[in-house]
Amino acid sequence: MPPPVRPLAALSAAVLVALASAAAALAQGTRGGFAPLEPQSTGAERIDDLYWFLVAITTFVLLLVMVPLLVFVVRFRSRGRPRTVEGPQIRGNTAYEIAWTLVPVALVALTVGFTIYKVPGIVDPSPGEEQTVVRVEGRQFYWQFEYENGVIAIDRLRLPVGRTTLLRLTAPDGDVIHSFWAPALMGKQDTIPGQLTRLRIEPTREGTYRLFCGEFCGIQHTAMRGEVEVLSQQEFEQWLEQERRTQEEQPISLGGAIWTGVCAKCHDPELDLGPPLEGNPILNDPRAVELVVRRGRGAMPGVGQRWSEEQMEALQVFLETTLAPRREEDGDDGDG
Ligand code: CUA
């Protein structure tokens, strides 16, 4: 005698688990669980529209299959008949056959059509308009942002609200692939060594949004986090001009940002990754430091490959003033 089959029990359990997890997710609010973050750019809004459209279509298909299935399982159960009894022999049904051909075709056409309608606004929110341009480099293990006036920022991208910024993304040769991902603002875009990719973002609301690296890129991949700060257009212009002057007149400020965003991610003594640098005699030898920073050594990647002279100097100034061991000849007021 074959073992007892309990399809109804198994199916009910599966449906209950699915409903419970969906309810738990929805209970967290409209934007929790499996829902994407509240969109904060025109592109993210369109991605969000596509997401909910696809959720609607797939939910419809799920119900279209599951509801009749459950009804049939209950209604046409065996009711104690022997398992070997044949059911009624049915051949063809023109109406059903037309329906199950046309409905899937219509669903696919809807999905493709809606996507084709939405995608251009994601790729370029304001075609033909002048755009702020920022060069983005994904590097082991930090983000470098370069503005058109020469300002450099590490791990913190500032953007103007209500205007499209064109991000030109890449990674240096010899680095690896990273992926620029600010979930509230846009989908991901890879940064690929030796190639240029593009992302256009038109933020709709001021605020600070999280930035991640969406591609596993090495031991400190999780440290490759940053922020995108969306400012009013006026604040943005002011910041850009102010920052240009600061970086020209006080390179140590950029040096400090480089230290925190680039060096400390591995050389923080608490991490036990790279050797601690405080008091290291190499810091008094700018040429040795430059060589290691540009080319890397051992497990350390060449984090400063392609840095400008100014950027390298900014780091040197910071290292010499804060971490390098005091030189003997610095003490003029000693017994000499
Ligand atoms: Cu860069 Cu992960």
Side-chain angles (χ1 to χ4, degrees), residues 91-103:
R91 240 167 208 284
N93 184 312
T94 312
Y96 279 133
E97 281 162 18
I98 289 175
W100 75 52
T101 306
L102 285 189
V103 169

Side-chain angles (χ1 to χ4, degrees), residues 32-310:
F34 52 72
L37 294 176
E38 190 82 51
Q40 309 290 355
S41 79
T42 52
E45 276 165 15
R46 285 171 167 253
I47 293 174
D48 200 59
D49 294 343
L50 274 171
Y51 176 87
W52 290 112
F53 180 77
L54 289 176
V55 165
I57 294 238
T58 46
T59 306
F60 171 70
V61 173
L62 179 80
L63 293 177
L64 193 67
V65 174
M66 293 309 286
V67 170
L69 183 64
L70 281 173
V71 169
F72 295 163
V73 163
V74 174
R75 194 162 158 204
F76 301 110
R77 65 189 188 279
S78 70
R79 290 199 175 89
R81 274 172 303 185
R83 296 175 68 86
T84 47
V85 170
E86 293 266 15
Q89 304 298 300
I90 298 166
R91 240 167 208 284
N93 184 312
T94 312
Y96 279 133
E97 281 162 18
I98 289 175
W100 75 52
T101 306
L102 285 189
V103 169
V105 168
L107 290 178
V108 170
L110 266 177
T111 309
V112 171
F114 193 64
T115 307
I116 289 174
Y117 169 67
K118 284 289 183 186
V119 159
I122 299 173
V123 176
D124 191 354
S126 54
E129 268 181 43
E130 205 187 319
Q131 298 165 341
T132 312
V133 180
V134 183
R135 183 185 167 87
V136 180
E137 287 204 5
R139 306 235 191 166
Q140 285 176 317
F141 296 98
Y142 66 101
W143 296 102
Q144 175 152 321
F145 305 109
E146 296 170 41
Y147 293 82
E148 285 167 295
N149 68 351
V151 161
I152 290 171
I154 307 285
D155 285 351
R156 191 175 185 86
L157 173 65
R158 287 174 176 82
L159 298 178
V161 76
R163 197 202 301 164
T164 301
T165 299
L166 167 62
L167 303 180
R168 296 162 62 87
L169 307 111
T170 189
D173 291 338
D175 209 290
V176 299
I177 299 177
H178 307 269
S179 191
F180 179 93
W181 188 31
L185 290 169
M186 199 35 125
K188 283 183 248 183
Q189 182 59 271
D190 282 1
T191 67
I192 305 164
Q195 282 189 35
L196 203 60
T197 48
R198 286 183 179 77
L199 199 59
R200 289 180 178 85
I201 301 180
E202 186 190 331
T204 46
R205 203 188 304 171
E206 291 167 40
T208 303
Y209 310 108
R210 292 198 289 171
L211 167 66
F212 300 95
C213 175
E215 187 82 40
F216 180 65
C217 56
I219 193 163
Q220 280 299 71
H221 157 71
T222 52
M224 240 182 120
R225 277 175 298 184
E227 281 176 335
V228 182
E229 190 182 348
V230 176
L231 303 166
S232 74
Q233 297 190 4
Q234 195 194 359
E235 281 175 317
F236 173 77
E237 298 299 344
Q238 278 170 0
W239 167 79
L240 196 59
E241 183 51 28
Q242 175 66 43
E243 188 65 16
R244 186 187 61 78
R245 262 180 275 142
T246 308
Q247 292 191 0
E248 258 175 36
E249 291 159 17
Q250 299 158 298
I252 194 172
S253 73
L254 174 60
I258 295 173
W259 165 261
T260 311
V262 182
C263 313
K265 281 183 185 149
C266 294
H267 289 285
D268 182 337
E270 306 215 325
L271 287 175
D272 205 20
L273 273 176
L277 292 181
E278 185 154 11
N280 192 319
I282 195 184
L283 299 185
N284 279 331
D285 184 349
R287 291 170 78 180
V289 170
E290 175 161 2
L291 206 64
V292 174
V293 168
R294 284 202 191 274
R295 296 198 187 160
R297 188 162 71 193
M300 172 174 163
V303 290
Q305 195 199 152
R306 292 218 315 231
W307 278 1
S308 66
E309 287 301 317
E310 291 78 24

